[in-house]
Amino acid sequence: MSNSRTKIILILSGLSTGLINGLIGIGGGTIVIPTMVFLLGVAQHQAHGTSLAVILPTSVASAFVYWWKGHLSWSLFWPIVLTGVAGAYLGARLMNRLSPERLRQLLGIVMIAAGVRLLWR
């Protein structure tokens, strides 16, 4: 894969991740991981780790705009973030025990389940 092609893929992945994150609150796992794995050939575990690092700045930027417009509930934020940090730690530890194939399958199952749930809610 050429260096300029890689840069273009990374730029488009970043733009689409930020756009989707700001618009509907997702992006890291749904855009960045498949892009890195299938288009750039990044190892599954490395793609997941990188995706998690990407979530922080994109989410902060989006959350700032939501907060500025009055669409952020601090009373909901704190309980979720405090328990979410514990869950994230446990999930990251568990991820390291899964094979790349199982990790990819789990991501696919969660994405499909979330999509079906949203369509038939």
Side-chain angles (χ1 to χ4, degrees), residues 19-112:
L19 179 66
I20 298 297
N21 179 286
L23 184 63
I24 58 177
I26 63 169
T30 59
I31 304 292
V32 175
I33 292 172
T35 297
M36 285 190 285
V37 171
F38 298 117
L39 297 179
L40 299 177
V42 174
Q44 193 74 37
H45 286 82
Q46 188 175 15
H48 281 253
T50 304
S51 171
L52 289 169
V54 167
I55 289 170
L56 181 61
T58 57
S59 293
V60 167
S62 298
F64 177 78
V65 174
Y66 279 87
W67 168 78
W68 186 261
K69 296 295 184 179
H71 302 296
L72 194 150
S73 169
W74 292 108
S75 64
L76 297 174
F77 171 84
W78 287 112
I80 294 171
V81 79
L82 294 174
T83 55
V85 167
Y89 174 80
L90 294 172
R93 295 288 303 249
L94 177 60
M95 179 198 69
N96 288 304
R97 294 183 177 191
L98 298 175
S99 70
E101 295 78 22
R102 289 284 180 245
L103 189 55
R104 185 171 32 256
Q105 291 168 350
L106 181 60
L107 176 63
I109 290 167
V110 169
M111 289 173 64
I112 289 168

